[in-house]
Amino acid sequence: PVPLTMDGFTGVADVWAQEGDPTKLFFTENAYRELLLPSGIVQRPGAVRLATTNIGRVQWIGQFDTLDGTKRTIIISAGLIRSVGWSGSYTTEVSSANLTTASITLDVSARVYAVVFNNLLAISDGINTPFTWNGAAGAGGLVSLTNAPVFYGAPTVYYGKLFAIKNTARSTLVWSEENAANTGYEAGGYSNAWTLGQSGSSPLTGILGRNDALYYWRQRSIGVIEGA
């Protein structure tokens, strides 16, 4: 971190005043205070270029950590799955041909969502059938979730199950069985679906599973579901 001169600031003002105390800091950008150390305000590190060549439109970027201790930064761009080396390099792990071999279609420009589930990366583009990837290069680590519907927005994990909003019925939640991404939903004799009509009729826009509850969003409201 790069220390910045405090210029005599003695604290932080949390309310705007036209004639504020000049010794109080009101707003700062790209800076933070290290809470665990006696510290002033420090500047955030600068940006690092990940690749020296054009890898196309970035559809998703995130971390994929597996139980064996492997930690990788993954970029999905132009319909390909790549791992990133922070020295500025990247490796194409899954190509278009690999996806085709696994009977998977991944849009080349749509926004992609992904979440780690049971040591797999569950991936959805909101247009085609979602799938999982175990991190292996090539087609062998890919599995199409043929029993799942097309998802809307980001899937999430709650009580060991993969939850999502159903794309064709935006007030309906669907979910897998525990630790089984391709089992459940509304296929194979399962009825793992719930239309949330009790609290409103507008479409769901997002969901997020936490240890305490499953949260859901509509355009003008937020709700919570508790219990298994």
Side-chain angles (χ1 to χ4, degrees):
V2 179
L4 300 181
T5 303
M6 291 297 292
D7 291 332
F9 293 127
T10 60
V12 176
D14 57 2
V15 177
W16 170 256
Q18 187 171 359
E19 296 182 358
D21 185 343
T23 68
K24 296 292 195 303
L25 182 67
F26 176 71
F27 175 80
T28 184
E29 187 174 8
N30 290 326
Y32 65 98
R33 183 177 184 273
E34 295 181 297
L35 297 179
L36 300 181
L37 299 172
S39 169
I41 301 296
V42 295
Q43 180 183 3
R44 291 188 184 278
V48 176
R49 186 172 182 177
L50 293 181
T52 57
T53 57
N54 185 357
I55 60 173
R57 180 189 178 116
V58 174
Q59 299 167 269
W60 182 82
I61 181 171
Q63 196 69 14
F64 182 23
D65 299 346
T66 51
L67 295 177
D68 64 3
T70 302
K71 299 178 182 293
R72 286 188 291 179
T73 301
I74 302 298
I75 289 180
I76 298 176
S77 65
L80 306 177
I81 301 176
R82 299 176 165 101
S83 60
V84 176
W86 286 92
S87 61
S89 63
Y90 67 88
T91 301
T92 299
E93 304 285 356
V94 177
S95 66
S96 298
N98 298 148
L99 291 166
T100 300
T101 297
S103 301
I104 290 170
T105 301
L106 180 60
D107 194 86
V108 298
S109 61
R111 183 171 182 178
V112 169
Y113 298 91
V115 63
V116 178
F117 175 72
N118 192 31
N119 217 35
L120 303 168
L121 193 64
I123 300 170
S124 169
D125 64 6
I127 300 172
N128 302 290
T129 301
F131 63 96
T132 59
W133 178 51
N134 68 4
L142 299 166
V143 175
S144 178
L145 301 186
T146 53
N147 289 321
V150 176
F151 296 161
Y152 174 85
T156 192
V157 179
Y158 180 61
Y159 270 85
K161 304 174 179 67
L162 185 63
F163 273 76
I165 301 168
K166 189 175 180 179
N167 183 280
T168 56
R170 290 272 306 283
S171 292
T172 299
L173 295 177
V174 292
W175 61 92
S176 73
E177 290 295 288
E178 291 184 13
N179 299 322
N182 199 30
T183 303
Y185 312 104
E186 298 172 285
Y190 291 93
S191 297
N192 295 358
W194 183 13
T195 299
L196 297 179
Q198 299 87 343
S199 58
S201 58
S202 59
L204 298 172
T205 58
I207 56 174
L208 177 64
R210 293 170 54 93
N211 288 337
D212 57 338
L214 177 66
Y215 295 81
Y216 62 89
W217 281 259
R218 302 184 195 271
Q219 188 173 13
R220 295 181 177 273
S221 64
I222 300 174
V224 61
I225 300 170
E226 297 179 319

